[in-house]
Amino acid sequence: MIKIPKITMKRTVSNWPEYKHIKLPYNIFVGKNVLEKVSYITKEHENKLVVTGARTSKIAGSKVARILKCDKTISKGTPLDEAERIAREVKKEEIELLVGVGGGSILDITKLAAFKANVDYISVPTNCANDGMASHVVSIKNGGKTALRANPPIGVIADTNIIRKSPYQFTSSGFGDAIAKFSAVKDWKLGHVVKGEYFGDYASSLATMIAKITLKSSLEISRRTEKGVNILLEALISSGAAMGIAGSSRPASGSEHKFSHALDMIAERPAMHGHQCGVGTIVMTYLHGEDWEGIKNALEIARCPVTAKQLRIDRDTVIDAMIKAKEIRPERYTILEHLKIDRPTAINALETTGII
Ligand SMILES: [Zn+2]
């Protein structure tokens, strides 16, 4: 059993930003056959370009380009290069709006390209694998993962007819990313109490609610009923809103995300983002002294990995990732820094929670 140091409350006033500029998507459609709504939410923009992938073009990208009567570009290079290429095209062709149609990577390329070219964009996700679809945060693979700040989309079209047909692993990954808000908020509170960091009650309450509703809906989501997929999509879109209100990814990303980013850097074959975050949430919730078994149970109901073996990552790499996680965004104070996690503590926590 790990002895968790007592957290003492600071009596001083914590840092509060001088001002906030809260940007949120203002047109969101979630449900059956909402793809056609793309023309409604883009009607104020003249010159548009659809950004899609080779596979997602067949699923929805071509159809969206047809509905909007505009060109599409198939993105297939590395994300940073692709964002640069598309941003150049936007300027040259005087494009006013980008429409990203695809999975997380395509949506991130669109988000970054729109930011670089200073134009608006909308997200049309073809799966629900993570909470990037409505957020201002770009997660780009660059020898591990780098989080960059951009703008949120002005609209989101999440068509459940398309999303429900994607492989189930995308849904379970989204489930893990939503559940991760449990430990992310605990870490944020810790940063507030110990370091005097700004802590937003609205953003943190929203993030906690996202995790609670997702947990309560485990069975419905695992069955991928219309209601279940809607609940998960609302959770992932709300997570983008929580980040928008906080002005950072703090309510959505804590020690469990650092653990996932560390795995992305050192594992030969990293697992899906939300699956790694889900396993991270189990062990980080244990370190926080909270109900990790309830979280593990919900992840099992949703058919998410709960062990290193199920992530298909070996024991030593998972232990190394727990230790390396502290080096990722060291300014973001979490339970990992608080407990100064070393090898014996990491092994103990991973063994106690049954991850290794
Ligand atoms: Zn995430």
Side-chain angles (χ1 to χ4, degrees):
M1 187 66 193
I2 295 162
K3 186 116 176 47
I4 296 173
K6 199 171 179 310
I7 300 164
T8 46
M9 289 297 287
K10 272 178 88 107
R11 301 227 174 262
T12 50
V13 177
S14 66
N15 294 322
W16 191 269
E18 195 180 350
Y19 72 88
K20 284 182 166 191
H21 180 182
I22 299 175
K23 294 183 188 174
L24 301 171
Y26 58 82
N27 259 319
I28 299 173
F29 283 94
V30 182
K32 288 184 198 170
N33 300 320
V34 293
L35 198 65
E36 304 281 341
K37 303 287 182 196
V38 73
S39 53
Y40 166 75
I41 73 170
T42 60
K43 65 177 188 281
E44 284 167 18
H45 297 83
E46 285 284 322
N47 207 1
K48 302 154 204 161
L49 177 68
V50 169
V51 179
T52 189
R55 217 165 44 82
T56 46
S57 173
K58 290 180 194 136
I59 296 168
S62 293
K63 190 171 176 190
V64 169
R66 249 193 336 269
I67 295 169
L68 297 179
K69 298 183 183 69
C70 72
D71 286 340
K72 66 169 193 257
T73 180
I74 306 280
S75 183
K76 50 187 170 220
T78 58
L80 284 173
D81 293 343
E82 277 300 280
E84 285 289 350
R85 177 184 70 78
I86 294 163
R88 279 197 302 274
E89 193 174 336
V90 165
K91 286 178 187 160
K92 189 168 153 244
E93 303 295 331
E94 296 180 357
I95 304 286
E96 292 171 21
L97 180 81
L98 288 177
V99 182
V101 185
S105 174
I106 292 290
L107 299 186
D108 271 348
I109 289 168
T110 310
K111 193 183 295 188
L112 192 56
F115 184 70
K116 283 175 185 287
N118 197 24
V119 293
D120 289 332
Y121 74 100
I122 69 161
S123 291
V124 185
T126 51
N127 66 50
C128 52
N130 63 56
D131 62 4
M133 63 184 78
S135 82
H136 65 272
V137 181
V138 186
S139 180
I140 293 279
K141 267 188 193 149
N142 191 13
K145 284 242 175 84
T146 316
L148 304 171
R149 177 185 286 265
N151 286 319
I154 59 164
V156 181
I157 303 268
D159 192 319
T160 50
N161 273 2
I162 294 165
I163 291 166
R164 285 175 73 192
K165 283 182 198 143
S166 66
Y168 181 72
Q169 59 182 359
F170 291 109
T171 302
S172 57
S173 174
F175 184 91
D177 206 18
I179 285 287
K181 307 328 167 206
F182 274 124
S183 42
V185 172
K186 292 278 167 209
D187 287 324
W188 192 12
K189 186 87 188 178
L190 197 61
H192 169 65
V193 171
V194 179
K195 296 284 178 189
E197 187 185 328
Y198 153 73
F199 179 80
D201 277 328
Y202 285 102
S204 62
S205 301
L206 178 55
T208 303
M209 191 168 76
I210 288 162
K212 281 186 179 166
I213 293 172
T214 304
L215 183 136
K216 203 176 73 183
S217 314
S218 311
L219 196 58
E220 194 93 47
I221 293 169
S222 77
R223 288 180 180 155
R224 279 222 282 194
T225 60
E226 183 64 28
K227 183 180 166 191
V229 174
N230 266 272
I231 289 171
L232 182 57
L233 282 166
E234 284 178 16
L236 298 171
I237 291 167
S238 302
S239 175
M243 290 187 246
I245 295 167
S248 80
S249 62
R250 209 31 162 141
S253 164
S255 48
E256 74 300 317
H257 270 70
K258 289 190 183 205
F259 169 71
S260 172
H261 295 326
L263 283 173
D264 287 338
M265 288 170 82
I266 63 174
E268 211 168 299
R269 283 170 175 254
M272 292 184 79
H273 170 77
H275 291 163
Q276 294 182 162
C277 288
V279 170
T281 308
I282 299 171
V283 65
M284 302 310 166
T285 304
Y286 166 74
L287 292 175
H288 274 287
E290 301 276 337
D291 177 22
W292 61 273
E293 282 162 310
I295 287 167
K296 185 174 181 177
N297 186 38
L299 287 164
E300 282 176 325
I301 292 170
R303 291 179 276 142
C304 294
V306 294
T307 64
K309 200 172 169 198
Q310 289 169 355
L311 285 175
R312 294 169 192 243
I313 299 176
D314 65 86
R315 173 191 162 94
D316 287 345
T317 305
V318 170
I319 296 167
D320 289 346
M322 270 290 277
I323 297 155
K324 193 174 178 57
K326 289 198 295 295
E327 294 166 22
I328 293 160
R329 298 191 80 166
E331 76 286 359
R332 180 160 287 190
Y333 195 78
T334 70
I335 196 71
L336 294 164
E337 292 75 21
H338 191 65
L339 297 180
K340 299 183 179 66
I341 293 292
D342 55 11
R343 186 164 286 271
T345 322
I347 293 173
N348 185 322
L350 289 164
E351 283 181 348
T352 307
T353 50
I355 293 168
I356 58 170

